[in-house]
Amino acid sequence: MSTLTAGPSTWVQAARPQTLGAAVAPVVVGTAMAMEAGGLHPMSAVLALLSAILIQVGVNYHNDYNDFLKGTDTDDRVGPQRVTQAGLVEPETMRAATIGVFAGAVLAGGYLIWRGGWPILAIGVASIVSAVWYTGGRYSLAYMGMADFFVFLFFGPVAVGGTYYVQMLTISHEVILAGAGPGLLAVAILLVNNIRDVEGDRSARKRTLVVRLGRSAGVAFYTVCLTAAAVVPVVLYLLNGSHPWAMMTLLILAPGLGSIRTLRSTTQPEALNPLLGATGRLLVLWAVLFSVGWNV
């Protein structure tokens, strides 16, 4: 298909809307914590949300482009269709779209930088650099098996802490610790993706942690991520003796156990596609339960 005929649905598909919960959830958590502290700043919250979504879309576009160039996305791909590999969008057009989306994130973050100063500028620059580094270049994060740590950091403590800081203009240890919940669940989403794609990644020399350590280790890490995320508010309560209702996040363990069983028993890669969405919903559920509980 010619690039000129690629319609809105193609670009929405390339944006991978099922992954955007990972960008939204930490902003919701940071905003809820700012609200409880009496410092809710609506404009900053909205712009933080917009910036986070645009950066995530930029990551997805860049991943679509780079995995095609590196030969990771082929006709044998078992995951959702990638538009560059499928010929729906030409590589240079996808590259230009990636730059445009990141530019939009910078524009949306301009007010946040003005309000929050150099810490927000540093977070913004580091987020975009890491997004480009995720699959870009010879020594990209995903291809060296370092993506899991960066996903935890930027979708967890950095995103929650940055959202809180730009509203409150201060930070606390409990905000950073709370950020571990969304970060761990974002890593869980990545683990499902990497377990599903392990054979293709191995062939393409994409040395994810699952390729390096094996499928069983990936399943074990997934179990740890879900369990640890659920108990983060318990740790907060034991440390501070407050916000007991935030421990409602333990409720994600019920559906989470089903996800763990599915991941452990399913050997057909195609059958793991629904688990990506299910894990994303667990992340959103965690954010909702924590945010409501924190403000009770």
Side-chain angles (χ1 to χ4, degrees):
M1 179 183 293
S2 167
T3 304
L4 294 176
T5 63
S9 62
T10 299
W11 292 107
V12 170
Q13 178 183 342
R16 308 180 200 177
Q18 70 275 17
T19 70
L20 298 184
V24 172
V27 177
V28 170
V29 171
T31 299
M33 297 186 81
M35 181 186 300
E36 189 277 337
L40 175 66
H41 194 271
M43 181 178 292
S44 295
V46 170
L47 289 174
L49 179 61
L50 179 59
S51 296
I53 291 173
L54 288 173
I55 290 174
Q56 178 63 34
V57 171
V59 169
N60 292 338
Y61 282 3
H62 193 250
N63 181 255
D64 197 298
Y65 168 74
N66 269 285
D67 276 352
F68 169 74
L69 292 185
K70 293 183 176 183
T72 306
D73 288 345
T74 66
D75 291 337
D76 297 326
R77 177 179 171 79
V78 297
Q81 185 185 60
R82 295 292 178 254
V83 301
T84 309
Q85 182 273 326
L88 300 176
V89 176
E90 293 184 16
E92 287 307 307
T93 303
M94 182 57 75
R95 181 175 180 273
T98 300
I99 294 171
V101 170
F102 281 140
V106 171
L107 289 174
Y111 172 80
L112 301 179
I113 294 169
W114 174 82
R115 175 173 168 80
W118 71 263
I120 300 303
L121 175 61
I123 288 173
V125 171
S127 297
I128 292 177
V129 169
S130 298
V132 173
W133 190 17
Y134 186 80
T135 54
R138 182 178 178 183
Y139 300 104
S140 64
L141 297 173
Y143 284 76
M144 293 192 297
M146 297 172 59
D148 305 75
F149 171 74
F150 280 80
V151 165
F152 168 78
L153 187 65
F154 283 96
F155 287 91
V158 169
V160 173
T163 301
Y164 182 90
Y165 179 83
V166 81
Q167 297 182 69
M168 295 290 299
L169 301 181
T170 186
I171 197 69
S172 69
H173 73 277
E174 64 182 10
V175 175
I176 301 302
L177 180 54
L184 288 164
L185 290 168
V187 172
I189 295 172
L190 179 62
L191 286 167
V192 175
N193 182 81
N194 290 346
I195 290 170
R196 182 200 63 198
D197 293 344
V198 61
E199 294 304 325
D201 288 345
R202 185 177 287 115
S203 299
R205 300 181 182 274
K206 187 176 182 180
R207 304 291 291 172
T208 65
L209 280 182
V210 179
V211 169
R212 290 176 181 273
L213 301 178
R215 189 184 194 281
S216 296
V219 175
F221 288 153
Y222 181 87
T223 303
V224 169
C225 285
L226 259 61
T227 305
V231 302
V232 162
V234 177
V235 176
L236 282 168
Y237 179 72
L238 292 175
L239 290 174
N240 300 327
S242 61
H243 303 100
W245 285 102
M247 291 188 289
M248 289 192 297
T249 57
L250 291 169
L251 294 173
I252 74 163
L253 290 176
L257 289 174
S259 295
I260 292 168
R261 285 194 295 267
T262 298
L263 188 61
R264 182 179 293 123
S265 62
T266 302
T267 57
Q268 293 299 318
E270 298 89 343
L272 291 178
N273 286 331
L275 189 56
L276 281 171
T279 306
R281 289 189 291 274
L282 287 177
L283 171 54
V284 173
L285 177 61
W286 188 100
V288 171
L289 291 172
F290 178 90
S291 298
V292 171
W294 195 261
N295 280 274
V296 169

